[in-house]
Amino acid sequence: GDSVTQTEGQVTVSESKSLIINCTYSATSIAYPNLFWYVRYPGEGLQLLLKVITAGQKGSSRGFEATYNKETTSFHLQKASVQESDSAVYYCALSDRAGGLSGKLTFGEGTQVTVIS
Amino acid sequence: EAAVTQSPRSKVAVTGGKVTLSCHQTNNHDYMYWYRQDTGHGLRLIHYSYVADSTEKGDIPDGYKASRPSQENFSLILELASLSQTAVYFCASRAQGANTEVFFGKGTRLTVV
């Protein structure tokens, strides 16, 4: 089946420092997956942070960037300088570009990011 | 702004009891979903629906039923709640189409004791 792996369950980073959250995927049943990063702030639902639907392309939003690397099957999330307001849980996810009947998302485990001052 | 509202936001249920989680969307979306999240795991799809009065099984449907009485409402029903169903449940909706954005509710924390 399809899967998404985030190796870091929790990350603590100092304000103004850089952040990288690793994400790798396996899409055995999907030829061309769409890739997403979702964020969940405390007390809120998941929000779409960015998405990329074409291999080799980069997505960006709110200072975050992620590049769709089909060769390494990775979609790492990066930010050059984090702020306390970036403290949240970040989820990597994929879906079938064709949509399929369900259009479901397959999620990674999530990474809790805590930014300290 | 697309809106998905879940109720209740938190619930404690007894083992063997019946639990109903409700979801209401004002997005006029065709698709609605129920996911569950366990600590250390990603969200997993329980049931979904792409039209009123019809539901489909997701990846982990055992122990759950779903109901979609209208386009706006989608319920998740646990007929006999078990300890293993303690989790956070998320409802979501999206418009029809291959690359439409999914909008999530704030989640319901269910504790079965």
Side-chain angles (χ1 to χ4, degrees):
Chain A
D2 307 316
S3 65
V4 177
T5 300
Q6 296 175 238
T7 53
E8 304 96 351
Q10 296 189 45
V11 173
T12 300
V13 59
S14 298
E15 199 169 24
S16 79
K17 298 298 184 182
S18 64
L19 171 70
I20 297 179
I21 304 174
N22 294 308
C23 171
T24 57
Y25 67 90
S26 173
T28 57
S29 66
I30 304 173
Y32 302 100
N34 296 332
L35 299 179
F36 306 83
W37 277 100
Y38 281 83
V39 58
R40 186 185 182 204
Y41 298 105
E44 300 295 321
L46 281 76
Q47 305 172 17
L48 179 63
L49 179 59
L50 57 87
K51 76 173 184 182
V52 181
I53 64 172
T54 304
Q57 297 292 312
K58 180 168 67 177
S60 60
S61 173
R62 308 181 210 176
F64 288 90
E65 296 182 339
T67 300
Y68 186 157
N69 190 320
K70 190 174 183 180
E71 286 68 38
T72 60
T73 62
S74 66
F75 191 54
H76 307 318
L77 183 68
Q78 304 181 62
K79 188 172 186 181
S81 176
V82 297
Q83 304 170 330
E84 280 195 71
S85 58
D86 293 323
S87 295
V89 182
Y90 293 80
Y91 297 91
C92 185
L94 65 80
S95 72
D96 187 342
R97 176 179 305 178
L101 182 61
S102 73
K104 74 171 189 179
L105 291 160
T106 298
F107 286 89
E109 301 87 344
T111 298
Q112 171 71 59
V113 172
T114 302
V115 179
I116 57 175
S117 57
Chain B
E1 177 74 15
V4 179
T5 304
Q6 295 182 229
S7 62
R9 293 292 314 281
S10 178
K11 182 173 182 63
V12 178
V14 295
T15 304
K18 182 177 180 178
V19 176
T20 300
L21 306 183
S22 299
C23 180
H24 178 80
Q25 55 109 350
T26 59
N27 308 323
N28 199 34
H29 287 167
D30 292 318
Y31 282 81
M32 295 188 75
Y33 304 87
W34 277 106
Y35 289 88
R36 69 174 276 176
Q37 184 181 24
D38 301 278
T39 303
H41 292 82
L43 282 73
R44 292 178 289 171
L45 182 65
I46 307 170
H47 285 288
Y48 68 97
S49 169
Y50 53 87
V51 67
D53 295 322
S54 177
T55 64
E56 305 292 334
K57 294 180 180 179
D59 297 326
I60 53 165
D62 292 346
Y64 302 93
K65 292 172 60 177
S67 174
R68 182 94 181 267
S70 64
Q71 187 187 42
E72 299 80 17
N73 296 294
F74 191 39
S75 298
L76 185 68
I77 303 150
L78 291 67
E79 295 279 4
L80 295 170
S82 67
L83 296 175
S84 64
Q85 293 177 311
T86 292
V88 179
Y89 292 83
F90 291 96
C91 179
S93 74
R94 73 174 181 92
Q96 197 170 32
N99 294 315
T100 54
E101 184 175 344
V102 180
F103 294 89
F104 286 85
K106 294 185 177 183
T108 296
R109 181 174 297 277
L110 175 66
T111 303
V112 182
V113 298

